[in-house]
Amino acid sequence: MHGITITQFLIEEQRKVGSATGEFTLLLNHIVTACKRISCAVNKGALVGTMGNLESENIQGETQKQLDVITNDIFLEANQWAGYIAGMASEEMDDPYDIPEKYRQDGKYLLLFDPLDGSSNVNVNISVGTIFSILHSPQGVTNPKVEDFLQPGTRQVCAGYALYGSSTMLVLTTGHGVNGFALDREMGEFILTNPDMQIPADTHEFAVNMSNQRFWEAPVQRYVSECLQGEEGVRGKDFNMRWVASMVAEVHRILIRGGLFMYPMDSKLRDKGGKLRLMYEANPMSFIVEQAGGASSTGRERILDIQPSGLHQRVPVILGSKNEVGVLVGYHRT
Ligand code: AHM
Ligand code: MG
């Protein structure tokens, strides 16, 4: 039997909230459309010659790929015109996007996104994704400034990602659990395939870029060396390791079968604050992981509790199976 479409799912969810006006459901529908368009753009990449680098750099000083810019434009275009959104910000833009005057209408929401996460993987045909986070726009603000976006992750109304992998999946939370939808390309619809996703509390799989080992802090050194000792070591079990270098793919794997993912602080990242960006990578993924029963921390504090100080702020990230995150966070206390 075919599952329900994402549109039916969203409308049924909306019915449960008596006071809902339907605007939020429509807003999510535009995000869904943007993700379908991005899925097509990523799939066609090599055929239409969009797999290369551009000469430009983004605010993070990273060389932009053609697809970084194309997918950023798709997200802006799909979401700017309906009036539900007061402001948008993304990894690919230094400042919040100026929504054209003709579309401005006291929108209730702010949208933050990374249009193509893991884009260093795109020209080698490895999974990439889109990450997004929705916040309330402060009341009475029609042209939101950076300060209006700087809300802690606990204030997110919704977070989600699309994974462009062997199939395209969309995973969402609005604070009532996590649901996953697979794109049926023939129908052109996302279908509910993974209702109420739950992360197992225990795991024997970790994900980290091992090439940074010599730069890590002591707690992470200890944790990984104990995992590598396997059955003979203090952990008393063998661990497996994965590193896709696409956070969306790693978080999706953890939602399906558990695991621990980290991009920890290291001595060469200290000035930047970490590698991953708080507002459109760490916060939405932490919201999803916590809603699926997992945990997420910098090692020293819960990510969702951080009061942001900048749109492109970076933080160390440790997330996944609750008990395993607990072990590593515990090592940061000793
Ligand atoms: P991006 O948004 O520029 O693609 O960077 C974020 C990505 C994450 O998806 C991934 O976990 C990490 O960068 C990989 O970094 P590294 O290449 O250092 O392993
Ligand atoms: Mg990214």
Side-chain angles (χ1 to χ4, degrees), residues 161 163 169 171 197 247-256:
Y161 65 78
L163 170 63
M169 292 226 42
V171 171
M197 299 175 90
M247 189 193 197
V248 177
E250 323 267 11
V251 169
H252 193 69
R253 184 186 61 249
I254 288 171
L255 280 167
I256 300 287

Side-chain angles (χ1 to χ4, degrees), residues 184-235:
D184 181 329
R185 284 195 187 279
E186 279 134 50
M187 283 175 73
E189 287 271 23
F190 280 101
I191 306 293
L192 180 64
T193 48
N194 298 64
D196 194 21
M197 299 175 90
Q198 294 287 332
I199 299 175
D202 292 300
T203 184
H204 47 86
E205 192 162 72
F206 68 95
V208 68
N209 184 339
M210 284 293 293
S211 70
N212 295 323
Q213 182 173 21
R214 69 189 187 283
F215 305 110
W216 295 337
E217 296 179 319
V220 176
Q221 297 279 4
R222 174 182 170 192
Y223 174 79
V224 173
S225 82
E226 288 179 358
C227 289
L228 298 178
Q229 285 159 19
E231 221 177 332
E232 292 92 64
V234 288
R235 299 301 308 274

Side-chain angles (χ1 to χ4, degrees), residues 91-214:
E91 177 173 327
E92 303 304 332
M93 301 179 296
D94 303 8
D95 302 309
Y97 176 66
D98 248 333
I99 295 189
E101 197 74 52
K102 62 178 173 187
Y103 298 136
R104 277 203 216 134
Q105 269 178 40
D106 274 350
K108 279 197 219 157
Y109 300 101
L110 301 176
L111 176 62
L112 291 120
F113 58 95
D114 178 356
L116 200 63
D117 185 60
S119 58
S120 69
N121 279 328
V122 81
N123 54 356
V124 287
N125 224 333
I126 292 174
S127 301
V128 288
T130 299
I131 310 173
F132 61 89
S133 163
I134 303 174
L135 297 163
H136 279 297
S137 183
Q139 271 194 333
V141 171
T142 47
N143 193 9
K145 304 277 174 294
V146 171
E147 311 77 79
D148 299 310
F149 287 84
L150 301 183
Q151 306 177 31
T154 46
R155 303 253 289 270
Q156 291 172 103
V157 179
C158 173
Y161 65 78
L163 170 63
Y164 314 112
S166 46
S167 64
T168 289
M169 292 226 42
L170 198 107
V171 171
L172 272 184
T173 184
T174 53
H176 306 282
V178 178
N179 292 283
F181 305 82
L183 180 61
D184 181 329
R185 284 195 187 279
E186 279 134 50
M187 283 175 73
E189 287 271 23
F190 280 101
I191 306 293
L192 180 64
T193 48
N194 298 64
D196 194 21
M197 299 175 90
Q198 294 287 332
I199 299 175
D202 292 300
T203 184
H204 47 86
E205 192 162 72
F206 68 95
V208 68
N209 184 339
M210 284 293 293
S211 70
N212 295 323
Q213 182 173 21
R214 69 189 187 283

Side-chain angles (χ1 to χ4, degrees), residues 63-85:
T63 306
Q64 286 180 305
K65 303 259 177 221
Q66 278 169 286
L67 275 170
D68 282 323
V69 173
I70 293 168
T71 55
N72 193 62
D73 289 348
I74 291 175
F75 227 76
L76 293 174
E77 257 174 43
N79 288 294
Q80 67 180 353
W81 57 270
Y84 316 124
I85 293 176

